[in-house]
């Protein structure tokens, strides 16, 4: 998709693919043939720039036609460079960092007011933790006792301008979120067993929202992309694409059409 469009967030999307895969195939309650089902779990991709992996999963599940992926970032496409709620399965347009958690708090609060059992999941980037609005939402989530709210931080330690701790130090994240009244879990964000167990067992504590700190690798699965800040927003060349396909194919057990 990124190679054809000549734009996109390669490293960021590879970073969160395992998290999204676990959420959509093993954890969230959804109906593909009824995307607006009232009892569905909600998901907000706050790090909206990593939309490529999101669109791929929605297409694989049947929310959209796989052929539409070929229109990514093309003229008059629905599949723009950030989540678009004109696409079935997408709740909100996102991408202005720092807004996703506030949206999720509102959705979780609405569920409580309407006596609904659905959960609200929101995936944030770690560089996004420097946004002040994240912490306003953190206070609200704890204040209202939103135990149906599950935040996930894609902790790959890199953002577009470099290492998160050099751009704007955010540690200690676990301590900060606990001090804001959240139950915090730290896991390997590429381990399906850990992800499924953790995401399926929420809420961890009644009356408290949950924050999952998922330690990940930017560009996971492609040797020359892993842990490279320069691949936050970069398009592979034809030879790089071929190498990436060669490296990824055996990992997933199928041939990838490059």
């Amino acid at each position: 998709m990124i190679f054809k469009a000549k734009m996109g967030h390669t490293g960021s999307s590879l970073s969160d693919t395992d998290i999204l895969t676990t959420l959509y195939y093993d954890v969230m309650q959804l109906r593909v043939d009824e995307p607006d089902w009232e009892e569905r779990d909600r998901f907000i991709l706050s790090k909206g720039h990593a939309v490529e992996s999101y669109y791929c999963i929605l297409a694989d599940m049947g929310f959209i036609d796989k052929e539409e992926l070929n229109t990514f970032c093309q003229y008059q496409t629905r599949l723009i460079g950030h989540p678009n709620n004109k696409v079935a399965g997408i709740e909100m347009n996102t991408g202005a960092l720092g807004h996703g958690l506030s949206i999720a708090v509102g959705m979780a609060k609405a569920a409580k007011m309407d006596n609904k059992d659905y959960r609200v999941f929101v995936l944030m980037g770690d560089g996004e933790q420097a946004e002040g609005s994240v912490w306003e939402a953190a206070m609200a989530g704890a204040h209202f006792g939103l135990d149906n709210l599950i935040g996930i931080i894609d902790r790959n330690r890199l953002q577009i301008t470099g290492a998160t701790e050099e751009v704007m130090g955010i540690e200690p994240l676990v301590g900060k979120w606990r001090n804001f009244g959240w139950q915090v879990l730290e896991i390997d964000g590429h381990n399906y067993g850990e992800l499924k167990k953790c995401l399926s067992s929420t809420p961890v504590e009644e009356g408290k929202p949950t924050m999952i700190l998922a330690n990940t690798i930017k560009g996971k699965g492609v040797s020359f992309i892993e842990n490279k800040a320069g691949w936050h927003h970069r398009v592979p060349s034809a030879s790089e694409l071929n190498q990436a396909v060669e490296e990824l194919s055996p990992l997933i057990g199928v041939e990838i059409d490059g």
Side-chain angles (χ1 to χ4, degrees), residues 11-12 15 156 158 216-220 225-228 232:
S12 304
S15 174
N156 59 37
L158 292 172
T216 60
I217 297 172
K218 202 176 192 78
K220 174 67 175 177
I225 299 178
E226 286 190 353
N227 284 318
K228 300 290 194 304
H232 177 93

Side-chain angles (χ1 to χ4, degrees), residues 221-225 242-252 256:
V222 183
S223 61
F224 59 90
I225 299 178
N242 289 334
Q243 183 180 340
V245 168
E246 288 179 6
E247 293 185 15
L248 288 168
S249 291
L251 294 178
I252 62 175
I256 302 173

Side-chain angles (χ1 to χ4, degrees), residues 1-14 48-53 72-73 80-82 160 230-236:
M1 288 167 60
I2 292 170
F3 178 77
K4 182 172 183 178
K6 302 306 178 189
M7 64 178 67
H9 291 80
T10 306
S12 304
S13 290
L14 290 171
H49 54 278
V51 74
E52 294 88 351
S53 50
F72 175 65
C73 282
I80 56 178
H82 287 79
I160 192 168
W231 278 96
H232 177 93
H233 185 284
R234 180 179 160 185
V235 178

Side-chain angles (χ1 to χ4, degrees), residues 6 9-11 37 42-43 45 48 51 55 59 73 91 104 127-128 135 160 162 184 196 229 231 240 258:
K6 302 306 178 189
H9 291 80
T10 306
W37 176 44
R42 273 67 166 170
F43 173 73
L45 181 64
V51 74
Y55 285 150
C73 282
E91 302 287 347
E128 186 175 2
W135 301 99
I160 192 168
V184 183
K196 184 177 179 179
W231 278 96
E240 288 171 333

Side-chain angles (χ1 to χ4, degrees), residues 35-85:
D36 294 326
W37 176 44
E38 186 64 30
E39 305 300 327
R40 72 189 182 282
D41 288 331
R42 273 67 166 170
F43 173 73
I44 300 294
L45 181 64
S46 191
K47 50 172 285 184
H49 54 278
V51 74
E52 294 88 351
S53 50
Y54 194 16
Y55 285 150
C56 286
I57 286 175
L58 291 176
D60 190 60
M61 294 190 74
F63 283 100
I64 56 177
D65 193 297
K66 289 184 180 180
E67 288 299 313
E68 192 173 0
L69 296 177
N70 292 318
T71 73
F72 175 65
C73 282
Q74 304 297 311
Y75 179 58
Q76 292 188 329
T77 184
R78 297 190 306 159
L79 306 187
I80 56 178
H82 287 79
N84 174 15
N85 64 3

Side-chain angles (χ1 to χ4, degrees), residues 8-147:
H9 291 80
T10 306
S12 304
S13 290
L14 290 171
S15 174
D16 69 19
T17 299
D18 294 328
I19 297 169
L20 293 181
T21 300
T22 307
L23 275 174
Y24 273 86
Y25 292 93
D26 294 315
V27 176
M28 291 198 299
Q29 299 297 310
L30 302 165
R31 291 179 179 175
V32 175
D33 58 351
E34 191 180 349
D36 294 326
W37 176 44
E38 186 64 30
E39 305 300 327
R40 72 189 182 282
D41 288 331
R42 273 67 166 170
F43 173 73
I44 300 294
L45 181 64
S46 191
K47 50 172 285 184
H49 54 278
V51 74
E52 294 88 351
S53 50
Y54 194 16
Y55 285 150
C56 286
I57 286 175
L58 291 176
D60 190 60
M61 294 190 74
F63 283 100
I64 56 177
D65 193 297
K66 289 184 180 180
E67 288 299 313
E68 192 173 0
L69 296 177
N70 292 318
T71 73
F72 175 65
C73 282
Q74 304 297 311
Y75 179 58
Q76 292 188 329
T77 184
R78 297 190 306 159
L79 306 187
I80 56 178
H82 287 79
N84 174 15
N85 64 3
K86 290 184 173 64
V87 176
I90 294 180
E91 302 287 347
M92 292 292 295
N93 296 0
T94 55
L97 296 179
H99 294 180
L101 187 60
S102 296
I103 295 168
V105 165
M107 289 179 167
K109 178 64 172 170
K112 292 289 187 181
M113 294 173 70
D114 293 340
N115 295 312
K116 298 290 186 180
D117 292 329
Y118 64 79
R119 294 173 294 173
V120 183
F121 297 86
V122 55
L123 178 60
M124 297 181 286
D126 49 5
E128 186 175 2
Q129 304 306 296
E131 298 280 358
S133 51
V134 168
W135 301 99
E136 293 179 46
M139 285 190 289
H143 176 77
F144 292 114
L146 302 179
D147 52 12

